[in-house]
């Protein structure tokens, strides 16, 4: 990984609930270089979404701090675009109007906004659906609108929380491919939360494994494979095995240096 662009420094997060205090994350350190594609994996409840929401500025750490390009994150900003599992589009607005909304709040002139919306819709392969309403779109198309909307203010960072988890395999793979192309072409920094280890290995420069309750970084695995990556190859599978092994291995929730796949895997 290159020099830290997103830096998570000894971050802990507690929630106060009716049943008492829930510590979602404890002492998390993480460094993401500018232009890197990093995924966060780990069992349900280990704090993946909480971590992403804190980088987004939607939640604050209980202790520690998060910095983006040197500045401490205290609120959401146009430097960070967000894509959630639910596309949450406005049903009464067309596709173009949904994307345009992200620009209206930024006070962009109507002509610039029109140009930008067309550009974004072409980028995500929806140029011909500009006037459709969300109800007329497939699940994959809705995700594409969500991605176009997140990219509208031209953020440096794209934060995605399990964006493809409810899609069929073919649609999911096609969106993964498109996300990779956008990442390369637009030179964004991507932080992706996913519960699918294969997806993380296919897409990422490195995969952060969170583990435990409260969640801690169990390990960071750098994926040293040429893209495009084929999950069926012998070089791909050891990464998946290593990461799955760390997710299962609850006793080893300790911070460690970036690791390579274990040589004992085929
Ligand atoms: P993951 O994304 O890995 O499934 P989350 O970040 O959603 O995990 O949740 C981590 C822990 O924090 C869980 O125990 C969850 O119940 C708790 N949590 C998350 N958000 C809230 C909230 N708004 N209020 C109370 N507890 C929360």
């Amino acid at each position: 990984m290159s020099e830290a662009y997103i830096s998570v420094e000894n971050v802990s997060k507690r929630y106060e609930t009716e049943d008492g205090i829930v510590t979602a994350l404890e002492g998390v350190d993480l460094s993401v270089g500018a232009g890197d594609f990093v995924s966060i994996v780990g069992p349900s409840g280990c704090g993946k979404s909480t971590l992403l929401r804190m980088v987004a500025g939607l939640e604050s750490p209980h202790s520690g701090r998060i910095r983006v390009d040197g500045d401490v994150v205290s609120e959401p900003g146009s430097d960070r675009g967000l894509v959630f599992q639910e596309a949450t589009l406005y049903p009464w607005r067309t596709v173009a109007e949904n994307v345009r909304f992200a620009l209206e709040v930024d006070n962009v002139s109507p002509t610039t906004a029109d140009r930008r919306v067309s550009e974004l819709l072409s980028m995500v392969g929806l140029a011909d659906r500009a006037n459709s309403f969300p109800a007329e779109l497939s699940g994959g198309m809705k995700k594409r609108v969500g991605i176009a909307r997140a990219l509208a203010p031209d953020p440096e960072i794209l934060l995605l929380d399990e964006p493809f988890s409810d899609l069929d395999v073919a649609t999911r793979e096609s969106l993964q491919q498109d996300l990779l192309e956008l990442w390369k072409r637009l030179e964004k920094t991507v932080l992706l939360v996913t519960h699918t280890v294969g997806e993380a290995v296919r897409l990422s420069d490195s995969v952060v494994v969170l583990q435990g309750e409260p969640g801690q970084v169990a390990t960071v695995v750098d994926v040293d494979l040429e893209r495009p990556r084929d999950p069926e190859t012998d070089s791909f599978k050891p990464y998946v095995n290593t990461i799955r092994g760390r997710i299962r291995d609850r006793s080893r929730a300790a911070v460690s240096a970036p690791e390579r796949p274990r040589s004992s895997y085929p």
Side-chain angles (χ1 to χ4, degrees):
M1 251 188 250
S2 32
E3 199 175 315
Y5 183 59
I6 303 172
S7 142
V8 177
E9 300 166 4
N10 198 18
V11 161
S12 300
K13 174 69 182 173
R14 290 182 193 164
Y15 291 106
E16 281 180 32
T17 69
E18 282 180 6
D19 300 326
I21 289 174
V22 176
T23 306
L25 291 164
E26 187 82 68
V28 171
D29 286 301
L30 187 63
S31 199
V32 178
D36 283 349
F37 195 127
V38 174
S39 291
I40 303 171
V41 299
S44 183
C46 71
K48 302 181 293 298
S49 294
T50 299
L51 181 56
L52 199 80
R53 290 171 62 79
M54 286 195 293
V55 176
L58 296 169
E59 310 257 8
S60 307
H62 165 74
S63 62
R65 62 182 179 178
I66 295 176
R67 287 187 294 160
V68 169
D69 202 14
D71 296 327
V72 174
V73 170
S74 57
E75 57 184 358
S78 57
D79 58 338
R80 283 152 287 147
L82 269 159
V83 182
F84 295 107
Q85 184 181 347
E86 291 294 324
T88 60
L89 305 176
Y90 295 116
W92 60 88
R93 286 178 168 246
T94 63
V95 164
E97 287 165 352
N98 264 283
V99 175
R100 200 189 158 100
F101 182 71
L103 295 165
E104 281 165 13
V105 292
D106 253 9
N107 283 332
V108 175
S109 79
T111 325
T112 311
D114 284 344
R115 201 182 51 234
R116 184 95 184 110
V117 169
S118 314
E119 217 174 79
L120 287 158
L121 290 181
S122 301
M123 258 185 231
V124 297
L126 284 179
D128 57 342
R129 302 307 294 259
N131 298 316
S132 300
F133 286 91
E136 299 163 345
L137 304 179
S138 69
M141 287 174 183
K142 285 183 196 159
K143 300 287 165 158
R144 290 173 195 278
V145 182
I147 292 172
R149 188 179 53 184
L151 287 170
D154 199 21
E156 310 293 332
I157 299 171
L158 207 49
L159 303 168
L160 304 108
D161 194 354
E162 301 204 5
F164 310 141
S165 55
D166 52 348
L167 300 174
D168 62 82
V169 175
T171 310
R172 185 182 183 117
E173 283 180 3
S174 134
L175 272 156
Q176 287 171 349
Q177 190 52 41
D178 290 353
L179 176 62
L180 266 186
E181 276 162 26
L182 284 171
W183 164 70
K184 259 190 259 165
R185 197 163 115 210
L186 304 175
E187 301 183 336
K188 304 293 179 199
T189 304
V190 172
L191 198 52
L192 168 78
V193 165
T194 175
H195 63 252
T196 311
V197 174
E199 177 168 280
V201 174
R202 181 173 176 209
L203 300 178
S204 319
D205 294 314
S206 48
V207 180
V208 178
V209 181
L210 282 190
Q211 182 56 281
E213 291 178 25
Q216 294 181 293
V217 177
T219 191
V220 178
V221 177
D222 292 336
V223 184
D224 193 10
L225 295 173
E226 291 284 311
R227 295 183 179 90
R229 297 170 181 164
D230 179 355
E232 296 309 316
T233 56
D234 287 346
S235 53
F236 190 97
K237 290 172 188 167
Y239 284 98
V240 173
N241 290 339
T242 297
I243 293 165
R244 285 202 181 130
R246 292 309 297 260
I247 292 172
R248 271 186 232 115
D249 189 356
R250 289 181 167 269
S251 62
R252 293 176 61 186
V255 179
S256 66
E259 68 176 63
R260 304 245 157 209
R262 292 179 207 165
S263 54
S264 56
Y265 283 109

